Amino acid sequence: MTTMHVEPVGDLIEHDTSGNPCVCGPTERPVKREDGSVGWVVVHNSLDGRELHETDRGDA
Ligand SMILES: [Zn+2]
């Protein structure tokens, strides 16, 4: 089984793409390939806030 990893480039942490659980809590999704087989894509989460614009932090 082949697993692809999609990870944020230049993120603050090192993402584990060697098959161990990554600290970012990635999402795994099945993807169907052209030859009909199913592979897995592990989508890693950016920890530098790039995707977290809707924070509720209330800085004030
Ligand atoms: Zn990760």
Side-chain angles (χ1 to χ4, degrees), residues 13-16 22-26 44-45:
I13 61 161
E14 297 241 346
H15 291 271
D16 197 321
C22 187
V23 294
C24 75
H44 292 258
N45 298 301

Side-chain angles (χ1 to χ4, degrees), residues 5-8 11 13-17 20-27 42-47:
H5 289 263
V6 178
E7 56 184 307
D11 200 13
I13 61 161
E14 297 241 346
H15 291 271
D16 197 321
T17 58
N20 298 311
C22 187
V23 294
C24 75
T27 305
V42 179
V43 182
H44 292 258
N45 298 301
S46 158
L47 292 193

Side-chain angles (χ1 to χ4, degrees), residues 31-51:
V31 283
K32 201 159 196 181
R33 289 197 280 248
E34 286 177 20
D35 64 2
S37 66
V38 175
W40 287 89
V41 174
V42 179
V43 182
H44 292 258
N45 298 301
S46 158
L47 292 193
D48 63 8
R50 218 177 304 170
E51 292 152 358

